[in-house]
Amino acid sequence: MPAKTLSKLRSTTAQELLTRPFKPRQMLLDPWLRTEETCIIWAASGLGKTMLSLSISLAIAGGGKLVDWSAEKPRRVLYIDGEMHAQDIRDRLELLSRPKMGILARYQRKNALENLIFIARQDQEVGAPFYDLTDEKTHREIISRVRKEDVQLVVLDNFTTLSEGLEDENAAAAFKQVQGFLLELKRLGVATLLVHHANKSGHDMRGSTALETTFEVILGLKKPSVPKTGEARFVAEFGKFRGKGDERLQAREWSLTEDGWSITEALPEDPKSDSVYKALKSLRFKSMAEIAKELGVNKSTVSRRIQRLIAHGALKKDEHFEIFNMVREIQREERGGLPDCGEPDHGTETAGVLLETF
């Protein structure tokens, strides 16, 4: 960039920044995707990352919902695909847009199909050039189309097939051009969803850790412990989320059948990485209610998760009650032996919570 351009960079004082009016960022898909933010969804091949990405795109384009993730109103979505045949895209759209799938109501379907724009490599003439996210010309072309079509979400499926100029995905420097493009879309007020592959272990995304710094949201799709039949099946785990979340962002198992998406609670592959387990072992909380408040979930959710941890052998039976009593004793000692008037000092939960199933 020429020096004369750098000399014109805007500066602002802290006082000016505090008084400047900003346009509120809007929810594209509540509770986790907003305008001006970037998200990456990664998974091993065959788990269903494209089916999930298409479902998200349809929900946002039509103002619909994806289980308990909801779009407030219809938005324009640009979906750029680097490898799928156009007929396969059509077949998946036909399946996912049916009212019985639960993503779109009948009255939302027309809006969704008109608002969702596809540019697919396999739909072009043989030998025609296609987008390369490492190329500045591609950046200009996509930005021009985004402005022209009033697009508010760009989906890039997937990073590998759309980055032919990237010789080594593990090289941090090589990702800088892509990073700059994603930041430019942010400045335009546009959200981006990048689809990517898992590494060989299947426990993390492929490529440089520099990828992580760009995204407000990182959503990993992992193999479930017990595989079942279905169009797509995975455990969805948010590895990073900068906004305030809720229990809809907890690890859950997703399954797609002919009747739509269904979800059940799921523990991570390593139960000891579960947020409830970590909260218990931190010795900071003396009740399920306190853990629930800290994690932004219902107390019944904490109870079910504890029962699952016990079933998986990560906790012994009644170990959580022992931990709660221990924390109470620690806190009582810190208060010089005085009782805590805000809590019962017998350390037990209600019978209703004890009998919750998982």
Side-chain angles (χ1 to χ4, degrees):
M1 186 181 291
K4 62 180 182 180
T5 304
L6 290 174
S7 67
K8 295 181 180 180
L9 289 175
R10 178 169 56 190
S11 64
T12 183
T13 67
Q15 181 59 43
E16 291 169 341
L17 191 61
L18 287 172
T19 57
R20 183 193 302 176
F22 287 95
K23 183 179 179 181
R25 280 179 285 188
Q26 301 176 34
M27 274 292 180
L28 295 180
L29 193 66
D30 186 48
W32 60 269
L33 183 58
R34 300 186 297 177
T35 53
E36 301 180 39
E37 293 187 343
T38 53
C39 165
I40 187 166
I41 294 178
W42 61 267
S45 297
L47 280 188
K49 55 185 177 292
T50 293
M51 292 300 276
L52 180 64
S53 300
L54 285 171
S55 299
I56 289 170
S57 300
L58 279 170
I60 293 173
K65 64 178 183 177
L66 183 54
V67 190
D68 53 5
W69 299 343
S70 58
E72 182 183 15
K73 64 180 182 179
R75 315 268 186 166
R76 296 283 274 180
V77 178
L78 175 61
Y79 199 112
I80 301 175
D81 184 89
E83 63 179 344
M84 261 203 305
H85 195 286
Q87 184 175 339
D88 293 332
I89 296 175
R90 184 202 65 185
D91 292 346
R92 295 181 183 201
L93 282 174
E94 188 176 49
L95 170 70
L96 294 170
S97 63
R98 294 173 183 169
K100 68 181 290 187
M101 301 302 286
I103 299 172
L104 300 167
R106 291 186 185 278
Y107 73 91
Q108 295 170 326
R109 189 175 187 272
K110 185 176 184 294
N111 266 341
L113 298 181
E114 289 178 350
N115 284 333
L116 181 50
I117 306 162
F118 283 90
I119 303 177
R121 182 192 297 274
Q122 297 301 321
D123 198 32
Q124 313 306 315
E125 296 291 334
V126 176
F130 199 66
Y131 294 141
D132 180 349
L133 297 179
T134 65
D135 179 57
E136 288 188 12
K137 185 177 180 181
T138 288
H139 303 167
R140 292 194 299 271
E141 290 289 340
I142 293 177
I143 287 172
S144 174
R145 190 176 290 266
V146 162
R147 284 174 165 155
K148 180 181 177 182
E149 301 284 356
D150 192 25
V151 168
Q152 292 179 281
L153 172 65
V154 176
V155 181
L156 303 166
D157 187 1
N158 58 68
F159 182 49
T160 301
T161 59
L162 294 175
S163 301
E164 292 185 344
L166 195 64
E167 295 182 2
D168 182 4
E169 290 184 356
N170 294 304
F175 183 65
K176 290 295 184 183
Q177 292 167 304
V178 182
Q179 197 172 34
F181 169 59
L182 298 179
L183 291 172
E184 186 67 23
L185 287 172
K186 276 188 187 182
R187 284 192 285 270
L188 288 173
V190 178
T192 309
L193 192 161
L194 179 64
V195 183
H196 194 28
H197 292 285
N199 58 19
K200 290 181 180 179
S201 72
H203 300 311
D204 209 342
M205 70 175 115
R206 196 160 72 192
S208 167
T209 54
L211 273 168
E212 298 182 11
T213 62
T214 303
F215 300 96
E216 281 80 15
V217 181
I218 297 177
L219 177 56
L221 312 183
K222 301 180 180 180
K223 291 182 180 179
S225 56
V226 181
K228 295 182 181 178
T229 57
E231 289 285 342
R233 189 173 180 83
F234 49 79
V235 173
E237 293 184 22
F238 284 89
K240 179 180 178 182
F241 180 69
R242 289 182 181 171
K244 182 179 179 181
D246 57 29
E247 60 187 348
R248 291 173 290 174
L249 303 178
Q250 298 296 316
R252 300 188 295 184
E253 190 169 305
W254 289 64
S255 180
L256 180 63
T257 68
E258 60 182 14
D259 295 319
W261 289 100
S262 64
I263 56 172
T264 55
E265 288 185 44
L267 286 176
E269 190 169 335
D270 177 8
K272 293 183 179 181
S273 68
D274 180 76
S275 56
V276 171
Y277 179 89
K278 289 180 178 179
L280 280 168
K281 293 297 184 176
S282 72
L283 300 182
R284 293 171 48 217
F285 308 100
K286 57 182 179 290
S287 69
M288 293 185 195
E290 287 190 359
I291 293 176
K293 183 177 180 181
E294 174 71 14
L295 299 181
V297 301
N298 295 327
K299 188 166 69 172
S300 60
T301 298
V302 174
S303 176
R304 288 194 298 271
R305 296 278 280 283
I306 287 174
Q307 297 305 317
R308 282 178 176 259
L309 287 165
I310 292 171
H312 282 73
L315 290 175
K316 297 177 183 177
K317 184 179 179 182
D318 295 334
E319 183 179 352
H320 54 298
F321 292 122
E322 295 173 6
I323 290 173
F324 293 151
N325 285 330
M326 185 189 306
V327 173
R328 287 189 178 92
E329 288 301 320
I330 292 171
Q331 293 181 356
R332 185 177 287 115
E333 289 179 10
E334 290 174 347
R335 294 191 302 270
L338 296 175
D340 182 357
C341 298
E343 291 286 336
D345 54 13
H346 49 73
T348 59
E349 299 287 341
T350 67
V353 173
L354 283 171
L355 293 174
E356 292 248 13
T357 60
F358 60 95

